[in-house]
Amino acid sequence: MRALVRALALVGVLAPSPGRGQDFAPVVPGALSGGAASLLDDGLPAASDGVSLESGITRWFGLDALATRHLALGAGWRGVRVAAGVSQTGDPELGWTSFGAAAGGATHAAGGAVRAVARRDRASPGLPGPPGAGGGYELGAGAWARAGERVVLHASAPQILLHSEAPPLPRGFELGATMDLDDATLWLAVRSAPRGQPVPPDHELGVALRLAGVRAWALVRDRPARAGIGLSARVRAIGIAAAVESHPVLGETTRLALILGQGEAP
Amino acid sequence: MTLVLPAGKQWLRAQLTVAGDEAPDNDADSLRVRAGPGPLALTEIQFHPAEDEGEWVEVLNRSGEAIDPLAFTISDRGATRGRVGGTPAALPPDSLALFAQDRAALLVHHPELDPGRVWAVSPWAALNDRDDSTGVADAVVLREDDGTPCDRFDYSSSGAAKGVTVEKRADGSWGPGLAPGGTPLSPPRPPPTGALRLSGRPRRVQAGQAVELSWTLPWATAQVTIELYDLAGRRLAIPLPIRDAQATGSQTWRVDDVPAGLYLLALRASDPARAEVLTATQPLRVDGRVP
C-alpha cells in the first residue's frame, strides 16, 4: 500500500478519465477504453492496433432536448491511429451537427494524437432568435505515456485552437494517470477551468473492477460533488456499455453505447 | 374572570359602585359586542390595484338569510366609516359582494361583474399598502349599523406585489391571491397542480440580450431561485437569487458576463412547510464567436 501511495504521489496528478466533451464523449471512461470515441474526444489513441466502431447516445441531465448521438470509427495499424465520426446534439433550434477526425500514433509505451471537430448549427433562419450563424471548429491534442508497467500518465488539451462559433462547452487542460491492478483499475484526473474562467480546477477519482466478461466502474467528481457508475460487457468483438452520472441539481446524465471491434476490454 | 356569551350581538354593561360617590350617574358604561361570526365575512381585499379600478373589499353573506347592505359600515384602522350609497338590493345568503371605492371604474375594468353586487361606498377610508413596524399594513373592519363588530382582518402587504390581493383561502388562512388582479365575486383560484415548470424565452440569445424567465409552482408560495450551469455541471451565474415567490411569476434577466456556449437554467423551488425541493431545467444557448 505504501508503494502504491508513493507511486501515486510521484506521478503527481493521476490519470484521467479526461473531461467529457459534448460531441464524442465515450460512455466508457477513457482510462478503461482506447476506442474511437476517446480518440476523437481527447486525442488519446489506443495502445494496440485494431478497428472499432462505436455508436452511442448520451442524454445530458435528463433532457431530451440535449441528447447527443454519435457514431465513431477508429482504426489502428502498425502504430498509426486514425478516427472519424459524426454526432448530432439537441433539437433543431439549439442543436448542431459535428464532424470529428483524429490522427496520431501509439506503441505499448506511449501515444499521442491530434483531434479536430467541426460543428454546424441545425437552426434555420426561419426560427425565432438569432439564425443559425453557421459553425465553428476546434483543434486539440492528447498524449499518454507509461510510467512503469502499471501506471499510465495522460495529458489532453482538447481545445488548443478555436475558430468562429464558440463551442457548446469550453474545455480546459487535463492531467491524470491510471494504475492497473490486475482485476482493478484506479484513475485520478485534474481538469483546469476553461480559458477565461478564473475558477479552481475540478477532480475525478475512479475505480473499475473486472469480473469475467463484465467491467463495472464508479467515479466521483467535484465542483459540485457528484458520482457515477457504469457497466460494460463484451462477447468477442461486441461490447455494450451503460453509465449514469448524477448531479445534485441538474439530474442524471445517462449514456449507452454499442462497441464493435477494439475498444473497452473488460 | 371568564364570561361565556351566547352567539350573537350582546351588550356588555359595567357598573361601578363606590360608597360616598357624589356623581353616581357616570359610573356605568356599555359596549356592543358580538359572540361568534357576524353575518358578513371578509374574503378578499384589493388594497393596491395595478389598474385604476380603485380599492375594493369582497365579502360573503354567511348569515343564512338575505341582508341589507345599508345596514353595514366599512372602515380601516381609523375612525372614518364608509356607508353604501344608493338603494342596493338585498344580498342573498351565501353570496359574494364588493364594497368599492370607485364602483364605476371597477365595473369598467371588470365588465363581467354583477353590478347589483358591487356597492359604492362613501367616504372610503384609503387602505395602506406598506407594512408598519408591527408588520401590518392596515385593517378592514366591518360593523353593523349600531356599531356591533361584524368582521375584521389586519393584513400585511408582504408577498403581495402591486395588483395582487390578499384573500381568504379554502382552509381559512389568508395570503396573497394567485390570480393577477384578484378574483372579485369569485372564489379564490386554487393553487396550480402538476409539476414545477420553468420557461426561458428566447432559448437562444446573444450576449447582452434579455431572457424572460417565468415559472409555475405546484404550490401557492415557495422560495425560488434560478441558476445557470454549463454542460460540465458547473454553476456560472444566478439569474434569480433566492426569494419568496407566488405560484406564478417571471423575471427578466440580462445575459451579461456569460461566455458563448450551451447552458442549463435550473429553477429550484422549496416549500419549507413540506420540506420539499423541486427542480426544473431548460437549456439556453448563448451565441457568440470565439474571442
Side-chain angles (χ1 to χ4, degrees), chain A residues 200-221:
Chain A
D202 55 59
H203 308 80
E204 178 178 307
L205 172 67
V207 59
L209 300 176
R210 186 190 302 114
L211 179 63
V214 175
R215 171 170 276 174
W217 65 88
L219 58 88
V220 291
R221 297 172 62 186

Side-chain angles (χ1 to χ4, degrees), chain B residues 197-277:
Chain B
R197 281 189 289 274
L198 168 68
S199 171
R201 291 289 183 268
R203 294 202 303 159
R204 189 167 176 170
V205 295
Q206 302 275 357
Q209 290 184 334
V211 177
E212 184 69 18
L213 306 170
S214 56
W215 61 87
T216 301
L217 308 177
W219 315 301
T221 59
Q223 282 196 321
V224 301
T225 179
I226 298 177
E227 300 169 329
L228 186 75
Y229 292 82
D230 67 10
L231 293 180
R234 294 180 291 248
R235 190 178 69 185
L236 265 70
I238 305 178
L240 180 69
I242 190 165
R243 71 175 206 197
D244 293 328
Q246 299 183 52
T248 58
S250 64
Q251 172 86 12
T252 300
W253 173 57
R254 194 178 170 82
V255 184
D256 290 327
D257 300 324
V258 176
L262 186 62
Y263 301 94
L264 279 96
L265 291 163
L267 166 67
R268 305 177 71 189
S270 61
D271 182 5
R274 296 178 173 80
E276 191 175 0
V277 179

Side-chain angles (χ1 to χ4, degrees), chain B residues 52-64:
Chain B
D52 56 350
E53 69 205 59
E55 299 172 354
W56 49 266
V57 174
E58 183 188 79
V59 295
L60 171 70
N61 178 5
R62 58 183 173 188
S63 67

